[in-house]
Amino acid sequence: MKNKIGILGLFLAFFGMFSCQDAYEIEQPGLLDDETTFRTVNDLQLYLNGLYTSVAGLSGLEFTSIYTDELAPSHVYNGSNRDLHRWVLNSATSQAASIWVANYFTINRATRMIAAAGNVVPGDNEVADYNSVLAQARFLRALAYMNLQSYYTTNMADNSALGVPIMTDVPTIADRLPRATNGEVYAHMEEDLNFALANIGSAQNNHFVSAAAIEALMARMYTYREMYSQAAVHANNAINNYGIQLASGSPLGTLTNFYGNNPSNEFRQIWKDVPTAPEVIFQLKSEVQGVGFQPASIWFFNASNYSGSPIWSMSLRVWDLLNNAMPNDVRRYAYVDPTSVPEENAIIIDKYPGVNFAPLRNNVKLFRLSEMYLILAENHVNSGNLGAAADAVNTLRAERVYEGTAPAVSYASATEAWASIMHERRLEFWLEGHRYVDVRRLGTRANQAFDRSDLDDEVSGQPLTIPLGDHRFTLPIPFAELNANPNMTQNPGY
């Protein structure tokens, strides 16, 4: 991980002499002749296959896991990302830059493909495939904009606040795009997603864009915008219309089977990347050979066990919640490697246990059905129906126990309900890249910020949280972009 960060730093330093947009593959003379490259629907499909491998799946995951209250230094911690873990955040922070660059790389490639598709005339028997390819590209572009909006706008629910620059065409070397308003960015996303939903077809494969994935992204987008009635429509569609079910946490079975390559426990199957695992709506596929995503390499050097040179381990606060608050919770086993030594504060991460012959590689889960239930819970709290909110949370909790019954929740106030939903999201989506965004959008309603144990840093006495409303709950625009683009506006506080 240390080497990767260094390479990224050199990459950004180079592009700081030019425009950060150069990193987005700006159109330059002789670089790419789209009329030559894209002649057939098959050409578009081949390009789309490559686009999937470039989707930003790990940049936000790395930042969120280290920056929030999800991790603690391991028993062999080497000082990696110490400043980030201590909430030092500025325009030179490499992770803030990598999120920006990775998502604009996807946006530029998708935009290039969509523009080039205008030169392709599909045959009569190719129209459905042609429309499906465009639908997938437009979904991936909208997903990248959603990622950017989640980090770089000060208020996702304010249409007049500054969002991120919009690329409607393949940019030229002279372009210096200003930030658009949130309303303009969301309108662009809605246009893409409405087209995608109308043209994607009925195929359901969670390694590719599907109607269920489009519904899930729309549910997330409207939730982040606090447009809860619209979010509920799409969340209900994702739950009811595509045959996707929550994974059961029961039975646990033997630990040998549970931690094996073909576990019978459905919830563990998700993380072991068993092809028949339920609940996953959309994930980025990691091949054992060739291009592959390595989420565990963020936290380990060699393998996801005690002797695999772990840089980070589960935070003591999360461990306490999993091990004590609901002791029959399957996530306590699915997320924690059996080689852990709690008395050494070595709670070894096993949410991404690796696949056969590739110990650090796993699929990256971008949308799971559990998120849709918690979106419904938010909708009910927002509308004042605390009983329905509790029902949605209890439906999920019932599937996360491996024996007995989960303690049912009920709410006496909206603040209590928001805090409960944040608690469920904290455990359910641990190390899936949600925590930073969840605290920044729900923290004030729930009266909850980051919550670390004093043992979640290598030196006791470090701050355990940052105050809600702090400017560091919005990422800075990267220095390379500011340096090269005079039309760019920095976020407050940086």
Side-chain angles (χ1 to χ4, degrees):
M1 198 61 220
K2 204 170 182 181
N3 290 338
K4 292 180 183 178
I5 293 169
I7 292 170
L8 178 59
L10 292 174
F11 175 80
L12 292 173
F14 172 79
F15 284 108
M17 295 184 293
F18 304 92
S19 171
C20 191
Q21 290 176 347
D22 291 344
Y24 318 152
E25 296 181 345
I26 283 182
E27 184 72 53
Q28 300 181 44
L31 180 63
L32 180 66
D33 183 345
D34 289 343
E35 292 185 6
T36 302
T37 302
F38 299 102
R39 294 180 174 180
T40 67
V41 174
N42 187 59
D43 291 338
L44 295 173
Q45 181 64 64
L46 291 174
Y47 190 87
L48 176 67
N49 294 343
L51 180 58
Y52 274 101
T53 68
S54 72
V55 172
L58 298 183
S59 52
L61 178 58
E62 178 186 20
F63 167 76
T64 295
S65 66
I66 297 170
Y67 187 79
T68 67
D69 48 11
E70 295 190 312
L71 298 176
S74 76
H75 59 291
V76 292
Y77 180 63
N78 66 351
S80 175
N81 285 310
R82 179 181 287 115
D83 285 347
L84 185 66
H85 188 62
R86 293 180 179 172
W87 297 311
V88 176
L89 186 60
N90 54 56
S91 62
T93 299
S94 62
Q95 288 83 1
S98 65
I99 293 171
W100 180 275
V101 171
N103 282 288
Y104 271 114
F105 184 74
T106 297
I107 288 168
N108 186 49
R109 293 193 70 183
T111 301
R112 182 183 297 278
M113 175 185 160
I114 292 163
N119 300 322
V120 176
V121 180
D124 292 341
N125 63 342
E126 294 180 313
V127 173
D129 289 341
Y130 175 83
N131 288 337
S132 176
V133 166
L134 283 178
Q136 293 173 70
R138 293 183 74 163
F139 169 91
L140 295 176
R141 181 167 68 178
L143 175 62
Y145 277 117
M146 185 73 266
N147 293 339
L148 290 165
Q149 288 289 102
S150 299
Y151 291 103
Y152 296 99
T153 180
T154 55
N155 185 345
M156 291 183 284
D158 181 359
N159 279 342
S160 63
L162 283 179
V164 296
I166 301 173
M167 286 186 182
T168 55
D169 301 297
V170 178
T172 69
I173 196 70
D175 286 341
R176 298 291 184 271
L177 301 176
R179 297 175 69 173
T181 66
N182 285 346
E184 292 168 330
V185 177
Y186 292 135
H188 186 55
M189 291 175 59
E190 287 174 319
E191 182 179 346
D192 275 350
L193 292 171
N194 287 329
F195 176 92
L197 193 57
N199 290 278
I200 193 59
S202 59
Q204 174 62 40
N205 182 329
N206 62 33
H207 294 305
F208 300 96
V209 177
S210 65
I214 299 166
E215 300 267 22
L217 177 53
M218 295 179 86
R220 183 184 292 177
M221 175 187 68
Y222 287 122
T223 297
Y224 287 7
R225 298 175 68 184
E226 299 178 10
M227 299 172 65
Y228 280 110
S229 58
Q230 294 95 320
V233 169
H234 294 289
N236 274 313
N237 288 345
I239 290 170
N240 297 315
N241 294 350
Y242 303 102
I244 305 171
Q245 302 293 324
L246 288 172
S248 174
S250 176
L252 190 68
T254 67
L255 292 185
T256 299
N257 173 267
F258 187 87
Y259 289 109
N261 289 323
N262 294 291
S264 57
N265 183 278
E266 288 184 349
F267 190 72
R268 180 63 175 179
Q269 288 175 2
I270 296 173
W271 310 108
K272 211 44 181 157
D273 292 340
V274 175
T276 57
E279 189 170 310
V280 179
I281 298 174
F282 181 50
Q283 59 185 335
L284 302 177
K285 187 176 183 180
S286 185
E287 303 289 350
V288 174
Q289 297 179 341
V291 175
F293 296 95
Q294 300 188 61
S297 67
I298 297 171
W299 313 296
F300 297 88
F301 277 113
N302 300 316
S304 56
N305 54 52
Y306 183 90
S307 60
S309 298
I311 310 168
W312 299 95
S313 64
M314 175 183 281
S315 77
L316 269 293
R317 187 69 77 207
V318 173
W319 170 247
D320 286 343
L321 292 174
L322 281 177
N323 198 44
N324 300 320
M326 198 159 80
N328 55 346
D329 193 325
V330 70
R331 293 170 295 194
R332 178 256 181 265
Y333 292 95
Y335 296 174
V336 178
D337 191 79
T339 63
S340 297
V341 184
E343 55 269 26
E344 295 181 11
N345 296 336
I347 315 300
I348 306 302
I349 299 164
D350 204 36
K351 192 166 189 175
Y352 300 93
V355 294
N356 292 346
F357 311 111
L360 297 177
R361 291 195 177 195
N362 275 110
N363 298 338
V364 181
K365 285 73 182 173
L366 299 185
F367 293 93
R368 294 195 287 119
L369 198 66
S370 55
E371 182 183 359
M372 301 300 105
Y373 282 93
L374 294 176
I375 283 174
L376 290 181
E378 289 190 40
N379 169 62
H380 292 312
V381 178
N382 187 70
S383 62
N385 192 340
L386 301 184
D391 289 343
V393 173
N394 286 329
T395 297
L396 175 60
R397 286 169 67 89
E399 297 297 337
R400 294 299 178 254
V401 293
Y402 57 83
E403 64 183 10
T405 58
V409 299
S410 60
Y411 308 131
S413 69
T415 300
E416 182 182 353
W418 289 119
S420 174
I421 291 169
M422 282 192 68
H423 170 82
E424 293 303 322
R425 291 184 66 92
R426 183 179 187 180
L427 297 185
E428 180 67 15
F429 304 124
W430 179 72
L431 297 191
E432 292 180 59
H434 291 260
R435 181 65 173 165
Y436 178 80
V437 178
D438 285 347
V439 175
R440 75 184 294 245
R441 68 186 185 86
L442 295 177
T444 300
R445 290 181 170 189
N447 194 28
Q448 290 191 359
F450 297 145
D451 173 32
R452 287 182 182 167
S453 162
D454 190 45
L455 298 176
D456 286 339
D457 192 278
E458 70 208 278
V459 178
S460 65
Q462 295 295 316
L464 303 181
T465 191
I466 55 177
L468 294 171
D470 190 282
H471 72 278
R472 289 168 291 178
F473 278 110
T474 303
L475 290 193
I477 304 300
F479 172 78
E481 180 68 27
L482 291 168
N483 190 47
N485 184 353
N487 297 320
M488 185 58 59
T489 303
Q490 179 60 283
N491 280 321
Y494 295 105

